[in-house]
Structures are given as C-alpha cells and as structure tokens.
Amino acid sequence: MSTSRISRLSRTPLITALTALAVALTGLLALGPASPASGAVPPAPDWNLQWSDDFTGPNRSLPSSANWQIDTGHGYPGGPANWGTGEIQNYTNNPDNVSLDGGGNLRITPLRDGAGNWTSARIETHRADFKAPAGGTLRIEGRIQMPNVTGDAALGYWPAFWALGAPYRGNYWNWPGIGEFDIMENVNGLNSVWGVLHCGVNPGGPCNETSGLGASRTCPGASCQSAFHTYRFEWDRSASPNALRWYVDDRLYHSVNQNQMDAGTWADMTEHAGYFILLNVAIGGAFPDALAGKTPTAATVPGRPMLVDYVAVWTRGGGTTPPPTDPPPTGSSQLYLRGGGAAGDATGSVSTVTLASAGGANHDGTPHSPQVFTSGPLTRAYNGGSTQFDLFVDAGTTVANGQQVRVSYDRTGDGTWDRTETYHYFATDPVPGYEHYTQARGLRSATGTHGDLTNGRVRIEVWNAIGNGGSTLGTGNQSSVRIPFG
C-alpha cells in the first residue's frame, strides 16, 4: 500500500504533484471497460510462473492458509501504532471483512459499526522470498477492482497491493531501508493508480522519504473503481542499470533505475532474501488525509469491497530454475504437534497433552516442565520469512494461567541450536474452551540467525509460564508451527 504502511506519515509534497499528474493524464483514457472477474491466472508467454492464487473457493471462506496469513489489530506486535500510517481501522479475520466471494475473487470489505468503529482486512503471503533472479526479471501482478465508491462517500478509502522486504518481519523498525514496492494504491475513490518505491532512510534520503519515488495515472478505459484492471510491477536485473517498472493494463507509467541512488541503498533493498506481498484496504491515514483533510467523514460509506481476481508471480531469464539441493528437500514446513513428542504432518484425529502447572512461580522466558516436540531431519531452504504458529490452549476455569512457547532451530543436526525464539506468554481466560495462541503475541527474545536446514532439526517447547493450574494443549491435527523454510 505504499502504505509503507509504515511510511506514509508525511507524503503531502509528492501526493500534491502526483494528483496534478493524474488530473493531467485524464486524456489518456484508451480501450473499453475491463472484463469481469475471470477467477483464473492468465498465461504469460516467455515467463515462468513461480506462485499464484486465483482465489477459487466457496463463498465466505477465508483465503488459503497455505498461501496467506491474516494480519489483525492496529499494528504488528512491537511495531508502529496504526501500522505507521495513521489509519484508523481494526484489521480482523472475520469473513465479513475478508473472504472469497465464490466467483473466483478475494473480497476485502471495510465496515463501520453503530459506534463509528471501522474494521477491514489485510493479508500477506507466507512466502517472503519473491526476488528477481540474477540476470533475470521478477514480475508481480494482480487483477483488481478498487472499491466501487467515489466522491464524499469514498473519503478515507485506501486500497493497496504492495510488497515489503523480508527483513521487515520480526523487526518492524527497519523501514524504509529494506525496500517497499507499492504496485497499486489509491485513496478517496479517485480514478488514479499510484506506484511508489520506498527505500533508504527516513526522512529524506535517495527515495525522498516519507513520500517515496512515485508516479500516478488514470486507469485506462473504465475507471479504477468501476472495473477490473491489471496492476504489474517488474524488477529487472537483466538491464544495465537494473530497473524497477510499474504498469497498469500493460501501460508503463513509472520506472526507477539503479543509478538514481547510491550503491548501498540499492543493495540494502535488493540483496536480502526477497519480498512478501500484501493486500489491504485501510480507512483514513496520512495519504487520504493529505488530499481531503481528516478522513473518514460522516459521509464515508462502509461496505464497498476491493475485489482481487488473482495475484501471481513470474520470473524470466537468469536463474529461474534453482539448482537441486543435495540432499533433496525433506520434511515439512507445516509442523503439527503430535503425541509422543513428534512434530510433522497432521494426524487423522484430535488429541491433547497436559502442561504442568507453574506452581505459582514466574517461569516467563525459562521452560518449566515443558512439553517438547521435535521434527527432523529437515533439509529445506530458508525463505526469508519468520516463524508462525497457532497453538490451541485451554486453562479451563483456572485464573491467571499463561502458556509460553520456544522454537529452536538446529541447522545441521549437530546438536547446536543456531536460532532460538521465545515468544511472550499468552494469558488464557478462566472459561473452558480452546483459545488461539499465535505469533501475534510477539517475540520476547531471540538468539542466533536463520539459515538453510541440512539434515537439521526443529524443537518446539510449550509450558505454563505463570499460574497455579495445569493447561491443555491441543495436538494431533490442531496446534501447528509453520517454519520459514521452502
């Protein structure tokens, strides 16, 4: 979203210029209206498809959990408030805000309750390794209809399709150096698409932060709001100098070249593991406010969704086919906690284990009689992402229990834990029934670094950090940990 989401705290100068450009370009209307949602990823001759989602599935089902994670709340744990942009909505995983429409589209719908509180949705790919191959080109593309609302009714709407550098995950304060590619963003129902690069330092720097290096234009043919259009970003490492390009319906409208900035800035945003992709609709914040004053207003109408037909990633040239690993990949990146201390594929049935009471002591950060689950040997490449987990925990009627998890990585199986992550404990309520303890609680501490696994091992320890009673952990086909390895 260029939401630099992290960025947009002061973009007025660029926004003013881009708005003028968008108005000046109104004469560029070209072909007829875009076609309806097709629900399929089109062929791209001479390109190699690396990843895609055409959002096929039943009405009101959530997007694929194998492809996407759903962000919730008003910011990343430990990250900037209001996602760093001043947007006001609360992101949820409610199908009313984010779901498939049953016709081949993803639907992200901002809503407002009777008290005036806004909700919406934001999703991001699990994969964080989308990167142009050496000597080749990366192409990220989506076919999207912006929320079909204009004028005063649209004030505060801020839909976006964008990508963030992998090192942002788990840090949340290293923007804009890690890079951000805003493939499509729009505010206040204007018939314009903005494409922006964020890089370097904030404020100022080679990308003129917090504004970024951007451009805009009207959507060809039918307006951005009334029809689907295709938004594409390319990162070209075959050209000299390397280049970044933005397109709408195959029309180039913005580019940035490597020689527009110093070598260090370019390296910081291109020489890490890659990028993850995001889709969201924010409400309010610095960008819409810069063009219309404080948004949303009483006239803003809720319930107008952004529709996404597909998102796809292609490469061509260079190292489009990675060399085989030796030994070949083994093990799974989705580890379900199972009986007998194992972690791996889900079993066919539900089971449980008991977490011993903390006995009234404080074991925050130090495993106390933990349940331990181990997976290995694993041979998989690190994808630049971060550990994700969803643990089913229940303290019954016990008051003030808190469960905690530590995930450790032994990259070569030599008994040395090269990376250890301990997450903040989760305080369960005294009401029987499972609650979900996830990585959203945030990292308490971490040591070491990630790297490829070669006959490596992963260890997951779960214990009660506080409280006077035992807890139940759902296993079998319930609690799982997704490790950041392809």
Side-chain angles (χ1 to χ4, degrees), residues 2-9 80 84 162-165 168 171-182 197-202 209-212:
S2 173
T3 214
S4 79
R5 287 240 84 349
I6 328 166
S7 89
R8 265 313 166 26
L9 297 180
W162 51 300
L164 269 173
Y168 189 71
N171 181 305
Y172 309 131
W173 295 98
N174 52 2
W175 182 91
I178 46 76
E180 176 182 333
F181 308 139
D182 297 329
L197 169 69
H198 293 280
C199 71
V201 297
N202 181 38
E209 300 300 349
T210 56
S211 297

Side-chain angles (χ1 to χ4, degrees), residues 54-81:
D54 63 8
F55 300 111
T56 300
N59 183 37
R60 289 185 58 79
S61 60
L62 294 177
S64 166
S65 60
N67 289 339
W68 303 94
Q69 60 192 55
I70 301 176
D71 297 330
T72 58
H74 292 278
Y76 289 112

